Amino acid sequence: MPTCQSLIFAGPAAAARPRKCTGAALGSAPRLVVRSPWLHSTAHTAGAGSSTVSAGSKSSAGRGSSAIARVQADFVLVPWDASQETWDEESEARMKKLVARFEAADKDGNGVIDRDELRSLLERVGGGEDEVPTSWLTDDDVSEVLAQYDTNGDGVISFEEFVRMAQDKIFLAGKLEEYREAFRAVDAGGNGTISATELFQLFEKIGHPITYEKLVSVMEKYDVDQSGVIDFGEFLRMFRNELLDLNDILAYIKKRTAAKAAAVTAQGTRITVDQLTAASQGAAGSAATAAAAPPAASPAAPPGTGPKLLPGGVNLFFSEADLDAVLASNPGKLVVLMASVTWCRPCKGFQSTYEAAAKHYKDAVFLKFYGNSNEGTKELFKERLKCRTTPSFFFFRDGAIVGSCTGANAKRLETHLRQAYGEQGLEQAPLWLDQPADG
C-alpha cells in the first residue's frame, strides 16, 4: 500500500523532520507536503491547512510553467531522493535544540520573539544555558540585530529568522565561567574592572597588538558609561562584536599557567597530591560560586592604592579619577603626564620617544591620556590642566604640578623631566641632552 509521509512543523514544541514519500500513488515525481504555522505559503488549499506541490507538474491552463512558479510559494522545495531520508539523527537533534531555545526565548508563548525577549536571548551565553545576571547590551545593539534579521519588517523575530541568527553564530557560545575566567586574567589589578593599560597588554599577549589610537577608539566604543575602565558587561560586548576571541584568551591563560607551573618546578617546590586535590576542589568551588552570582562590586580603594601600572612603560588612562588614584598611590614619586588628542600628528610621531623615556627613567611613573576620549577627559584637558597645545607634558609630585612643557622635542622633555626630579637626584645618565644639537 502506498504511503506518503510529510515534513511537518506542528508548532514550536514539535520536532521538525522531512520524510520520504513512496508508492505508486506518487507517479513519477515525489511530492512534499508542508504543514507549518511559520511557512505561510500561498499554496495552501482551502480548509486543508497544508500545501501540496507536485514536482515537475504543468499548469492546467497549458502555460507550461511549473506548479511552484504558478503558486508563488514563499519557500523552496529542494529535489531529493525519495528512497532515502534527507536528515540524519544529528540534524534532527540540532533542530530540536533550536526549537527548544526558541520556545524558551518566547516567554509569552505567542510564537514570535519581541524586542524585550530578543534582548534576553542575546544576553544569554553558553548556547542559551547561562544567564548573565546583568543587562549588558545597549539599545543600539538590539536595534541592529532586529534590523538585520527581521526580514519582513514586522518588528519581531519569527522562527525562520531565529534559525538564520543561529546559523550566523551571533550568540555567544562560551560558558559564563569561561568569560569570567578570561575577565579575571585580564584584570591584573584584581579590582573588578579592566583598565586601558590592561586591555592594551591583552591585545599584545594574544598576538594582536594595537596602537594607542586604536585603543582610544576601542574605549570610546565599549566604555559605554565613560567610566574610563571596562566592566564585565562591556567586556562581553567585545566578544559579541568579535573584537576578542575567547579561545585566544583561554589559550593565553593556559600558556601562562603552564609557565608558572614550570617556574615552580624549576625552583624545586614540591607539591603533594593532597595539596593538588585541595587546590582543585577550591577552584571548582570558586567556579561554582562565580557562575551563580555576578562579579562582586569593586570595593573602595584604600588610601595609597591605585590602578595597576606597567613598570618602565606608558600607562594610558581614560578618567580623571584614575589620574588622581595614581597620584595618591605614588607619594614622593615623580609622575609624568602626556596630554594629547587623537588627531595630533606630532604626538603620534613622539610616542616612541616618550616610551623610550619611560623605559629609561623607570623610577618615575609615565602616564598618557587623550583629551577627546570622553567628557571626563575633555574636562581634565580643558579646565584642570588648561591645555592649549599638544603634546603637553606635566610633572607631578605628591599630587601637585612641579613643572610642565610643550612640544614634541626630546631634549626639552628631558630637560624639564630632570629638573622635576629636584633634590632627589638622578642615577640615570641623560638620553638626549648629551647629543649634539641638530645642525
Side-chain angles (χ1 to χ4, degrees):
M1 179 175 179
T3 61
C4 180
Q5 298 171 301
S6 60
L7 168 60
I8 299 177
F9 290 91
R17 183 180 184 183
R19 296 177 179 269
K20 57 189 177 184
C21 298
T22 59
L26 294 176
S28 59
R31 295 194 297 177
L32 190 63
V33 180
V34 179
R35 297 185 181 92
S36 168
W38 302 306
L39 301 178
H40 304 293
S41 168
T42 56
H44 289 177
T45 57
S50 66
S51 61
T52 305
V53 181
S54 177
S57 65
K58 302 295 183 181
S59 167
S60 59
R63 291 191 296 268
S65 62
S66 70
I68 295 177
R70 175 164 50 84
V71 300
Q72 296 181 342
D74 61 358
F75 57 89
V76 177
L77 298 181
V78 181
W80 55 285
D81 182 358
S83 65
Q84 296 182 358
E85 295 278 357
T86 58
W87 276 11
D88 54 23
E89 292 183 359
E90 181 181 351
S91 299
E92 184 174 2
R94 187 162 54 246
M95 177 56 73
K96 286 182 178 179
K97 202 169 185 178
L98 284 174
V99 170
R101 188 168 185 183
F102 182 86
E103 279 189 316
D106 177 22
K107 296 178 181 178
D108 56 11
N110 64 350
V112 293
I113 297 174
D114 61 30
R115 184 184 178 90
D116 289 339
E117 292 168 340
L118 178 61
R119 175 186 288 276
S120 298
L121 172 66
L122 293 171
E123 289 184 336
R124 296 182 72 91
V125 300
E129 296 180 4
D130 297 338
E131 181 178 1
V132 181
T134 183
S135 182
W136 54 273
L137 288 177
T138 66
D139 289 339
D140 287 343
D141 291 333
V142 180
S143 296
E144 182 181 332
V145 173
L146 192 60
Q148 181 177 354
Y149 290 97
D150 176 23
T151 54
N152 62 358
D154 60 359
V156 294
I157 297 294
S158 65
F159 181 73
E160 295 96 327
E161 292 163 344
F162 166 77
V163 170
R164 191 160 70 87
M165 291 169 63
Q167 290 171 340
D168 288 350
K169 298 181 179 179
I170 72 166
F171 304 119
L172 293 185
K175 296 294 185 182
L176 179 58
E177 178 53 29
E178 291 178 324
Y179 291 109
R180 284 187 168 145
E181 181 183 5
F183 185 84
R184 289 191 293 267
V186 183
D187 177 22
N191 57 1
T193 58
I194 295 173
S195 69
T197 299
E198 291 168 338
L199 191 60
F200 184 80
Q201 289 179 283
L202 169 65
F203 283 106
E204 285 190 329
K205 290 171 181 176
I206 62 177
H208 305 296
I210 61 175
T211 64
Y212 279 96
E213 289 73 21
K214 174 64 175 177
L215 181 61
V216 170
S217 66
V218 168
M219 292 295 292
E220 286 178 345
K221 181 174 182 178
Y222 293 98
D223 180 21
V224 179
D225 58 4
Q226 295 193 359
S227 62
V229 292
I230 298 297
D231 60 30
F232 185 64
E234 293 164 342
F235 186 63
L236 287 177
R237 289 185 69 238
M238 293 183 177
F239 290 99
R240 190 188 170 279
N241 294 340
E242 298 183 342
L243 179 67
L244 293 175
D245 184 274
L246 182 61
N247 291 329
D248 285 347
I249 300 181
L250 294 179
Y252 156 69
I253 295 172
K254 185 176 181 180
K255 183 177 179 180
R256 185 183 66 175
T257 303
K260 288 182 178 179
V264 170
T265 302
Q267 292 173 359
T269 303
R270 306 181 70 177
I271 302 176
T272 66
V273 174
D274 289 341
Q275 289 173 323
L276 286 173
T277 302
S280 299
Q281 291 173 344
S286 299
T289 301
S298 302
T305 64
K308 186 177 178 63
L309 299 175
L310 180 65
V314 176
N315 297 272
L316 198 63
F317 68 89
F318 286 82
S319 74
E320 189 171 2
D322 275 348
L323 170 62
D324 290 333
V326 171
L327 296 176
S329 60
N330 290 276
K333 184 174 285 191
L334 182 65
V335 178
V336 185
L337 171 63
M338 177 179 177
S340 178
V341 289
T342 53
W343 61 79
C344 173
R345 299 190 69 175
C347 301
K348 294 178 182 179
F350 200 68
Q351 178 64 35
S352 59
T353 301
Y354 191 56
E355 290 176 354
K359 187 175 182 180
H360 186 68
Y361 294 98
K362 291 183 179 180
D363 52 344
V365 176
F366 283 76
L367 305 176
K368 181 178 179 178
F369 82 104
Y370 291 89
N372 60 321
S373 293
N374 56 51
E375 292 302 319
T377 56
K378 287 179 185 177
E379 183 77 13
L380 172 63
F381 187 87
K382 294 172 62 177
E383 303 301 330
R384 179 171 171 179
L385 298 177
K386 302 188 183 306
C387 292
R388 298 294 181 265
T389 304
T390 57
S392 290
F393 301 92
F394 300 87
F395 306 93
F396 292 84
R397 191 183 301 280
D398 294 323
I401 296 177
V402 295
S404 65
C405 66
T406 61
N409 184 293
K411 289 187 176 181
R412 187 184 307 152
L413 170 65
E414 189 168 36
T415 296
H416 285 83
L417 188 154
R418 295 177 74 87
Q419 288 175 354
Y421 270 95
E423 298 178 357
Q424 183 180 5
L426 281 167
E427 297 180 358
Q428 298 93 338
L431 271 177
W432 302 289
L433 292 178
D434 291 341
Q435 295 178 1
D438 296 336

